[in-house]
Amino acid sequence: AVAMFTGKANCPYYAKAELLADYLQTNLPNFRVHKITQHPDEWEQWLHDIRETNGWEHSQSPIIWRELLDRGGKGQLLGGLNDFLEYAQQYYGITSMLLSEEMLDVAEENLQAHLEIVKEDEEIKSLVKPMQIWITSASVEICYHLIPLLANGEVFGMTTEISIHLLDTDQFKEILHSIVMEAEDMAFPLLRSISEHTKIDQAFIDADIIIVLDDVFLNLEVQSLENCIREVSEICQLYAPLIEKNAKNEVKVISSGKTFANLKALMLRTYGPSIRPENIIAIATSWESAAKAMLARKLNMNTAGVKDVIVWGNITGSNYIDLSHTKLYGYNCAIWGPTNFQHPLLHMIYDSEWIHSEFLSAQSTLSSRVSRCTGMLPAHAVATVLQYWYHGSPSEEIISVGVLSEGHFCIPEGIVFSMPVRFQNGNWEVVTEVEINETTQKVLERLSHELVQEKLVALKEISEMHPYEAE
């Protein structure tokens, strides 16, 4: 058995019981002591909790019980100081002769030692800098679903603490406040802090990661495409200089949302030229996931076994789902192999007409499904890409991400285009070995043209708003 001692750090009775317990442990081979010193301000709550848990009746410091390690269940309550003195006298013939004045001196020493330990723990904790994550337009539903994914330890690892900063306008202050309170109540062990921000000049301070969720109202019957692009430019014109000024040099910026994901990434780069271009990406994983799910339903298999679906082009606009490199793992057919054995998708779907008609025509349905998913799916997409960015994507697996083109696959330079990449060692690289057939190349040319035109409209808006800067 182990004797458990807990009391207020400044309690003289706890000091007397502690010294007697130390004497017994030193002189008796089978007597073991475990001491838990409590700060005076925390004692009452701690005592209440342990009484509730064990069903004990005890109201003073110290409280002493035996942990019956060989029996399990709750411990055996011994009581307070007098009960322990009686126990020591009865079983071991030993008592304490500590005087009242000495008890007070030891109690004072206990309190100072406890305060020093607490201070040391706080100093050590302060040296561990949490990862600073900023989320813009944080009142949207994506953010609500994203916070638990970031805070549960699976994205950055179980040893990385994070601080989350929610940024939005004053009109959404109540929503932000509700999100903060709910996240605090969930008591994530790795969530150092979560806070709300409505003052734009304080945005992105010390940011390691910025997740841009801002969207514009896209209804071309109500306003022109040019006006929508102007709104995107204005948002990025506001954010980019603040990112350059306040964020860390290696800040990673993720563009997500339902509209203009590629353009937001491009405009943040345009207005923030000192931000590393490889650290600004747009998320296409929602499209990948939805397409994989559709294929898995067709093949009656687990979605996790569908790999290497490539999303080309404008993530939240005109894009192309390329299945020519898609592989199936664990597919139930006549040919079986080891765990890493794969089947090319196009060899397994014998109904080629389904690929060229139903699936491709269903991309409009797929687009509708993705655009309607305002919560779990896009939040999971952001969390998945962040996990890959920090810990690497699965070996040999292709991930689609909107990145600044450098001329790969004959895509014009200077536009943000969704293409296949791999993440490794905190960076990503384009999977240049992917072969492009003639049909796909023509599609990429068309998609590139649309993004180039979108960029030209955005630059025109910049020149009209800032003619001298354009010159």
Side-chain angles (χ1 to χ4, degrees):
V2 176
M4 306 292 292
F5 287 73
T6 301
K8 291 188 291 184
N10 62 345
C11 173
Y13 303 106
Y14 173 63
K16 187 168 185 176
E18 178 188 28
L19 290 175
L20 177 56
D22 288 343
Y23 178 84
L24 293 175
Q25 179 171 250
T26 302
N27 292 277
L28 299 175
N30 296 322
F31 190 89
R32 295 290 177 267
V33 179
H34 182 69
K35 294 175 284 187
I36 307 172
T37 307
Q38 298 292 333
H39 191 281
D41 296 340
E42 300 171 355
W43 163 251
E44 292 297 336
Q45 183 62 49
W46 191 94
L47 180 62
H48 174 270
D49 292 343
I50 198 169
R51 286 168 53 190
E52 288 289 316
T53 301
N54 293 281
W56 293 336
E57 292 185 6
H58 188 83
S59 59
Q60 296 177 344
S61 173
I63 180 172
I64 305 165
W65 71 96
R66 295 173 65 217
E67 289 283 357
L68 306 178
L69 302 179
D70 58 337
R71 301 184 190 177
K74 67 180 182 180
Q76 177 185 0
L77 178 67
L78 297 180
L81 172 62
N82 291 335
D83 300 294
F84 181 58
L85 292 174
E86 183 179 343
Y87 171 84
Q89 178 67 39
Q90 181 178 350
Y91 282 91
Y92 306 113
I94 298 173
T95 188
S96 173
M97 303 301 293
L98 194 65
L99 302 177
S100 298
E101 185 175 340
E102 294 173 315
M103 289 166 53
L104 292 173
D105 291 340
V106 173
E108 179 61 27
E109 291 176 4
N110 281 345
L111 177 59
Q112 294 305 317
H114 178 75
L115 293 176
E116 288 177 7
I117 292 172
V118 170
K119 182 180 179 181
E120 183 179 341
D121 289 343
E122 289 177 350
E123 289 176 351
I124 292 173
K125 189 174 181 180
S126 68
L127 295 175
V128 181
K129 299 296 184 182
M131 182 176 291
Q132 304 292 327
I133 303 172
W134 284 78
I135 305 175
T136 71
S137 194
S139 62
V140 299
E141 193 173 352
I142 300 175
C143 178
Y144 184 81
H145 291 277
L146 181 59
I147 289 171
L149 299 179
L150 298 176
N152 66 13
E154 293 184 10
V155 174
F156 304 108
M158 298 305 297
T159 59
T160 302
E161 290 190 342
I162 64 172
S163 290
I164 298 177
H165 305 266
L166 308 179
L167 177 66
D168 215 319
T169 58
D170 269 326
Q171 69 182 104
F172 298 109
K173 189 171 184 177
E174 289 299 319
I175 296 176
L176 297 185
H177 188 62
S178 298
I179 295 174
V180 167
M181 287 196 298
E182 189 167 354
E184 289 175 340
D185 289 343
M186 293 181 76
F188 293 104
L190 296 174
L191 182 58
R192 175 78 70 87
S193 65
I194 181 168
S195 55
E196 58 194 89
H197 303 266
T198 56
K199 295 181 179 178
I200 192 63
D201 58 325
Q202 298 177 355
F204 315 128
I205 292 176
D206 292 330
D208 293 289
I209 297 169
I210 298 170
I211 303 168
V212 180
L213 301 180
D214 297 74
D215 277 315
V216 300
F217 179 69
L218 185 58
N219 186 338
L220 299 182
E221 295 179 359
V222 176
Q223 61 177 334
S224 67
L225 179 63
E226 288 77 10
N227 285 337
C228 294
I229 291 176
R230 179 183 292 113
E231 286 187 40
V232 174
S233 294
E234 289 174 352
I235 292 169
C236 296
Q237 183 187 13
L238 183 64
Y239 288 163
L242 289 169
I243 295 173
E244 290 183 303
K245 176 184 176 183
N246 295 336
K248 293 178 181 174
N249 291 335
E250 298 297 314
V251 63
K252 292 177 169 61
V253 183
I254 286 182
S255 173
S256 185
K258 295 184 292 183
T259 59
F260 297 104
N262 294 52
L263 185 62
K264 283 185 291 187
L266 179 63
M267 289 294 98
L268 286 170
R269 169 60 185 153
T270 302
Y271 285 117
S274 69
I275 305 171
R276 292 182 61 185
E278 62 270 28
N279 280 6
I280 305 176
I281 65 173
I283 300 295
T285 316
S286 295
W287 280 93
E288 281 187 21
S289 300
K292 289 175 181 177
M294 187 175 180
L295 292 167
R297 286 192 294 269
K298 171 68 175 177
L299 296 164
N300 192 27
M301 65 176 293
N302 191 325
T303 306
V306 183
K307 307 291 185 182
D308 296 353
V309 172
I310 301 177
V311 181
W312 298 98
N314 191 352
I315 295 164
T316 50
S318 297
N319 58 50
Y320 172 59
I321 309 296
D322 183 2
L323 305 181
S324 61
H325 305 277
T326 302
K327 305 174 185 66
L328 307 177
Y329 292 82
Y331 180 53
N332 188 10
C333 67
I335 303 174
W336 281 79
T339 305
N340 61 349
F341 183 71
Q342 56 176 312
H343 296 283
L345 169 73
L346 298 183
H347 291 181
M348 295 296 104
I349 298 185
Y350 302 106
D351 183 5
S352 59
E353 187 63 27
W354 183 84
I355 291 289
H356 294 98
S357 60
E358 187 175 336
F359 181 82
L360 294 179
S361 64
Q363 282 197 228
S364 59
T365 305
L366 206 60
S367 175
S368 177
R369 287 174 66 94
V370 172
S371 62
R372 286 201 307 269
C373 293
T374 58
M376 286 189 291
L377 179 59
H380 179 263
V382 171
T384 298
V385 170
L386 276 173
Q387 183 181 26
Y388 291 164
W389 209 343
Y390 278 84
H391 300 290
S393 53
S395 177
E396 303 303 318
E397 189 171 331
I398 293 173
I399 311 298
S400 300
V401 175
V403 299
L404 190 65
S405 171
E406 295 181 353
H408 300 302
F409 311 111
C410 298
I411 298 167
E413 295 183 23
I415 59 174
V416 171
F417 199 92
S418 181
M419 62 183 75
V421 307
R422 289 194 185 99
F423 290 90
Q424 190 174 12
N425 300 323
N427 300 302
W428 55 263
E429 61 178 5
V430 177
V431 184
T432 55
E433 63 266 28
V434 168
E435 296 182 2
I436 305 297
N437 58 37
E438 186 177 346
T439 302
T440 301
Q441 191 65 63
K442 290 181 179 179
V443 174
L444 297 191
E445 290 175 6
R446 175 175 58 82
L447 298 178
S448 299
H449 178 74
E450 291 183 11
L451 280 169
V452 168
Q453 293 304 308
E454 189 175 88
K455 175 185 177 180
L456 291 174
V457 172
L459 294 177
K460 178 184 177 184
E461 297 298 329
I462 294 174
S463 65
E464 289 179 354
M465 289 186 292
H466 307 281
Y468 296 106
E469 290 183 14
E471 291 177 3

Short mmCIF file of all heavy atoms in Angstrom, two decimals, residues 398-432:
data_model
loop_
_atom_site.label_atom_id
_atom_site.label_comp_id
_atom_site.label_asym_id
_atom_site.label_seq_id
_atom_site.Cartn_x
_atom_site.Cartn_y
_atom_site.Cartn_z
N ILE A 398 -0.36 11.38 -54.59
CA ILE A 398 -0.47 12.70 -55.21
C ILE A 398 -1.57 13.50 -54.51
O ILE A 398 -2.66 13.00 -54.24
CB ILE A 398 -0.81 12.57 -56.71
CG1 ILE A 398 0.38 11.95 -57.46
CG2 ILE A 398 -1.16 13.91 -57.32
CD1 ILE A 398 0.09 11.62 -58.90
N ILE A 399 -1.26 14.77 -54.22
CA ILE A 399 -2.22 15.69 -53.61
C ILE A 399 -2.38 16.88 -54.53
O ILE A 399 -1.38 17.40 -55.05
CB ILE A 399 -1.73 16.17 -52.22
CG1 ILE A 399 -1.26 15.00 -51.36
CG2 ILE A 399 -2.80 17.00 -51.53
CD1 ILE A 399 -2.32 14.00 -51.03
N SER A 400 -3.61 17.33 -54.73
CA SER A 400 -3.85 18.49 -55.60
C SER A 400 -3.89 19.77 -54.76
O SER A 400 -4.62 19.84 -53.77
CB SER A 400 -5.16 18.33 -56.36
OG SER A 400 -5.12 17.18 -57.17
N VAL A 401 -3.09 20.76 -55.17
CA VAL A 401 -3.01 22.03 -54.45
C VAL A 401 -2.87 23.15 -55.46
O VAL A 401 -2.19 23.01 -56.48
CB VAL A 401 -1.80 22.04 -53.49
CG1 VAL A 401 -1.65 23.41 -52.84
CG2 VAL A 401 -1.94 20.97 -52.42
N GLY A 402 -3.52 24.28 -55.18
CA GLY A 402 -3.36 25.46 -56.02
C GLY A 402 -2.07 26.18 -55.66
O GLY A 402 -1.93 26.68 -54.54
N VAL A 403 -1.11 26.21 -56.61
CA VAL A 403 0.19 26.82 -56.35
C VAL A 403 0.54 27.77 -57.50
O VAL A 403 -0.04 27.69 -58.59
CB VAL A 403 1.29 25.75 -56.19
CG1 VAL A 403 0.99 24.85 -55.01
CG2 VAL A 403 1.46 24.93 -57.46
N LEU A 404 1.50 28.65 -57.25
CA LEU A 404 1.94 29.59 -58.27
C LEU A 404 2.69 28.84 -59.36
O LEU A 404 3.69 28.17 -59.10
CB LEU A 404 2.83 30.66 -57.65
CG LEU A 404 3.18 31.86 -58.53
CD1 LEU A 404 1.94 32.67 -58.87
CD2 LEU A 404 4.22 32.74 -57.85
N SER A 405 2.20 28.94 -60.58
CA SER A 405 2.78 28.19 -61.69
C SER A 405 4.17 28.71 -62.05
O SER A 405 4.41 29.92 -62.08
CB SER A 405 1.87 28.27 -62.92
OG SER A 405 2.51 27.72 -64.05
N GLU A 406 5.06 27.76 -62.34
CA GLU A 406 6.40 28.09 -62.83
C GLU A 406 6.61 27.52 -64.23
O GLU A 406 7.75 27.35 -64.67
CB GLU A 406 7.46 27.55 -61.87
CG GLU A 406 7.42 28.21 -60.49
CD GLU A 406 8.49 27.68 -59.56
OE1 GLU A 406 9.18 26.71 -59.96
OE2 GLU A 406 8.65 28.23 -58.46
N GLY A 407 5.51 27.23 -64.92
CA GLY A 407 5.62 26.74 -66.29
C GLY A 407 5.48 25.23 -66.42
O GLY A 407 5.59 24.70 -67.54
N HIS A 408 5.25 24.51 -65.32
CA HIS A 408 5.08 23.07 -65.39
C HIS A 408 3.85 22.72 -66.23
O HIS A 408 2.83 23.44 -66.20
CB HIS A 408 4.90 22.47 -63.99
CG HIS A 408 6.08 22.72 -63.09
ND1 HIS A 408 7.35 22.30 -63.39
CD2 HIS A 408 6.16 23.33 -61.87
CE1 HIS A 408 8.18 22.63 -62.42
NE2 HIS A 408 7.47 23.26 -61.49
N PHE A 409 3.91 21.62 -66.98
CA PHE A 409 2.81 21.11 -67.80
C PHE A 409 2.35 22.14 -68.84
O PHE A 409 1.18 22.15 -69.23
CB PHE A 409 1.62 20.69 -66.93
CG PHE A 409 1.99 19.81 -65.77
CD1 PHE A 409 1.92 20.26 -64.46
CD2 PHE A 409 2.44 18.51 -65.99
CE1 PHE A 409 2.27 19.46 -63.40
CE2 PHE A 409 2.80 17.69 -64.92
CZ PHE A 409 2.71 18.16 -63.62
N CYS A 410 3.26 23.04 -69.24
CA CYS A 410 2.96 24.10 -70.21
C CYS A 410 1.90 25.07 -69.72
O CYS A 410 1.23 25.75 -70.52
CB CYS A 410 2.54 23.50 -71.56
SG CYS A 410 3.82 22.49 -72.34
N ILE A 411 1.73 25.14 -68.40
CA ILE A 411 0.79 26.11 -67.81
C ILE A 411 1.52 27.44 -67.71
O ILE A 411 2.67 27.50 -67.26
CB ILE A 411 0.33 25.62 -66.42
CG1 ILE A 411 -0.42 24.30 -66.52
CG2 ILE A 411 -0.53 26.67 -65.73
CD1 ILE A 411 -0.62 23.60 -65.19
N PRO A 412 0.90 28.53 -68.13
CA PRO A 412 1.58 29.84 -68.10
C PRO A 412 2.06 30.19 -66.69
O PRO A 412 1.40 29.89 -65.70
CB PRO A 412 0.48 30.81 -68.56
CG PRO A 412 -0.48 29.97 -69.32
CD PRO A 412 -0.46 28.62 -68.69
N GLU A 413 3.20 30.81 -66.61
CA GLU A 413 3.73 31.25 -65.32
C GLU A 413 2.90 32.41 -64.79
O GLU A 413 2.30 33.17 -65.54
CB GLU A 413 5.18 31.69 -65.47
CG GLU A 413 6.14 30.57 -65.85
CD GLU A 413 7.58 31.03 -65.91
OE1 GLU A 413 7.88 32.05 -65.24
OE2 GLU A 413 8.39 30.41 -66.60
N GLY A 414 2.91 32.54 -63.44
CA GLY A 414 2.30 33.71 -62.83
C GLY A 414 0.83 33.59 -62.50
O GLY A 414 0.20 34.59 -62.12
N ILE A 415 0.23 32.40 -62.65
CA ILE A 415 -1.14 32.20 -62.20
C ILE A 415 -1.12 31.10 -61.15
O ILE A 415 -0.24 30.24 -61.13
CB ILE A 415 -2.10 31.82 -63.35
CG1 ILE A 415 -1.63 30.53 -64.05
CG2 ILE A 415 -2.26 32.97 -64.32
CD1 ILE A 415 -2.61 30.01 -65.09
N VAL A 416 -2.10 31.12 -60.24
CA VAL A 416 -2.23 30.04 -59.25
C VAL A 416 -3.12 28.98 -59.87
O VAL A 416 -4.28 29.24 -60.20
CB VAL A 416 -2.81 30.57 -57.93
CG1 VAL A 416 -3.14 29.41 -57.00
CG2 VAL A 416 -1.82 31.51 -57.25
N PHE A 417 -2.58 27.79 -60.02
CA PHE A 417 -3.23 26.72 -60.77
C PHE A 417 -3.18 25.44 -59.93
O PHE A 417 -2.13 25.11 -59.37
CB PHE A 417 -2.47 26.49 -62.09
CG PHE A 417 -3.25 25.77 -63.15
CD1 PHE A 417 -4.00 26.46 -64.09
CD2 PHE A 417 -3.22 24.38 -63.23
CE1 PHE A 417 -4.70 25.79 -65.09
CE2 PHE A 417 -3.91 23.70 -64.21
CZ PHE A 417 -4.66 24.42 -65.15
N SER A 418 -4.29 24.74 -59.82
CA SER A 418 -4.31 23.49 -59.07
C SER A 418 -3.62 22.40 -59.88
O SER A 418 -3.95 22.18 -61.05
CB SER A 418 -5.74 23.07 -58.75
OG SER A 418 -5.75 21.86 -58.00
N MET A 419 -2.67 21.72 -59.25
CA MET A 419 -1.90 20.68 -59.93
C MET A 419 -1.40 19.68 -58.89
O MET A 419 -1.49 19.92 -57.69
CB MET A 419 -0.74 21.32 -60.70
CG MET A 419 0.27 22.06 -59.84
SD MET A 419 1.58 22.86 -60.84
CE MET A 419 0.69 24.27 -61.52
N PRO A 420 -0.85 18.53 -59.33
CA PRO A 420 -0.42 17.50 -58.38
C PRO A 420 0.90 17.85 -57.69
O PRO A 420 1.86 18.26 -58.35
CB PRO A 420 -0.26 16.26 -59.27
CG PRO A 420 0.02 16.80 -60.63
CD PRO A 420 -0.76 18.06 -60.73
N VAL A 421 0.94 17.68 -56.38
CA VAL A 421 2.15 17.93 -55.60
C VAL A 421 2.35 16.82 -54.59
O VAL A 421 1.45 16.02 -54.33
CB VAL A 421 2.11 19.30 -54.87
CG1 VAL A 421 1.79 20.43 -55.82
CG2 VAL A 421 1.12 19.27 -53.72
N ARG A 422 3.53 16.80 -53.99
CA ARG A 422 3.81 15.96 -52.82
C ARG A 422 4.43 16.84 -51.73
O ARG A 422 5.18 17.76 -52.03
CB ARG A 422 4.80 14.83 -53.16
CG ARG A 422 4.22 13.74 -54.03
CD ARG A 422 5.11 12.49 -54.03
NE ARG A 422 4.60 11.49 -54.96
CZ ARG A 422 5.07 11.30 -56.19
NH1 ARG A 422 6.08 12.04 -56.62
NH2 ARG A 422 4.55 10.38 -56.96
N PHE A 423 4.09 16.54 -50.49
CA PHE A 423 4.65 17.27 -49.35
C PHE A 423 5.72 16.43 -48.69
O PHE A 423 5.54 15.23 -48.46
CB PHE A 423 3.56 17.59 -48.33
CG PHE A 423 2.57 18.62 -48.78
CD1 PHE A 423 1.41 18.25 -49.46
CD2 PHE A 423 2.78 19.97 -48.52
CE1 PHE A 423 0.49 19.20 -49.87
CE2 PHE A 423 1.87 20.92 -48.93
CZ PHE A 423 0.72 20.54 -49.62
N GLN A 424 6.85 17.08 -48.37
CA GLN A 424 7.94 16.38 -47.71
C GLN A 424 8.84 17.39 -47.01
O GLN A 424 9.16 18.44 -47.57
CB GLN A 424 8.75 15.58 -48.72
CG GLN A 424 9.76 14.62 -48.09
CD GLN A 424 10.44 13.74 -49.13
OE1 GLN A 424 10.34 13.98 -50.33
NE2 GLN A 424 11.14 12.73 -48.67
N ASN A 425 9.20 17.08 -45.75
CA ASN A 425 10.13 17.92 -44.97
C ASN A 425 9.69 19.37 -44.88
O ASN A 425 10.50 20.30 -44.98
CB ASN A 425 11.54 17.84 -45.58
CG ASN A 425 12.09 16.43 -45.58
OD1 ASN A 425 11.86 15.67 -44.65
ND2 ASN A 425 12.81 16.08 -46.65
N GLY A 426 8.41 19.59 -44.69
CA GLY A 426 7.89 20.95 -44.52
C GLY A 426 7.75 21.75 -45.79
O GLY A 426 7.43 22.94 -45.74
N ASN A 427 7.96 21.12 -46.94
CA ASN A 427 7.82 21.80 -48.23
C ASN A 427 6.97 20.93 -49.16
O ASN A 427 6.62 19.80 -48.84
CB ASN A 427 9.20 22.03 -48.87
CG ASN A 427 10.09 22.89 -47.99
OD1 ASN A 427 9.76 24.01 -47.65
ND2 ASN A 427 11.24 22.35 -47.61
N TRP A 428 6.65 21.48 -50.32
CA TRP A 428 5.95 20.71 -51.34
C TRP A 428 6.72 20.85 -52.66
O TRP A 428 7.47 21.80 -52.86
CB TRP A 428 4.50 21.18 -51.52
CG TRP A 428 4.37 22.66 -51.82
CD1 TRP A 428 4.09 23.66 -50.94
CD2 TRP A 428 4.52 23.30 -53.10
NE1 TRP A 428 4.08 24.88 -51.57
CE2 TRP A 428 4.32 24.70 -52.91
CE3 TRP A 428 4.80 22.84 -54.38
CZ2 TRP A 428 4.40 25.60 -53.95
CZ3 TRP A 428 4.87 23.76 -55.42
CH2 TRP A 428 4.67 25.13 -55.20
N GLU A 429 6.49 19.89 -53.53
CA GLU A 429 7.08 19.96 -54.86
C GLU A 429 6.08 19.42 -55.87
O GLU A 429 5.32 18.49 -55.58
CB GLU A 429 8.39 19.18 -54.94
CG GLU A 429 8.26 17.69 -54.66
CD GLU A 429 9.59 16.96 -54.80
OE1 GLU A 429 10.60 17.65 -55.02
OE2 GLU A 429 9.59 15.73 -54.69
N VAL A 430 6.08 20.02 -57.06
CA VAL A 430 5.18 19.58 -58.12
C VAL A 430 5.62 18.21 -58.62
O VAL A 430 6.82 17.96 -58.80
CB VAL A 430 5.17 20.61 -59.28
CG1 VAL A 430 4.29 20.10 -60.42
CG2 VAL A 430 4.68 21.96 -58.78
N VAL A 431 4.66 17.32 -58.83
CA VAL A 431 4.95 15.97 -59.33
C VAL A 431 5.08 16.07 -60.85
O VAL A 431 4.12 15.85 -61.60
CB VAL A 431 3.85 14.98 -58.92
CG1 VAL A 431 4.23 13.56 -59.35
CG2 VAL A 431 3.63 15.01 -57.41
N THR A 432 6.26 16.41 -61.29
CA THR A 432 6.47 16.69 -62.72
C THR A 432 6.46 15.43 -63.58
O THR A 432 6.32 15.52 -64.80
CB THR A 432 7.81 17.42 -62.92
OG1 THR A 432 8.86 16.64 -62.31
CG2 THR A 432 7.78 18.79 -62.27
#
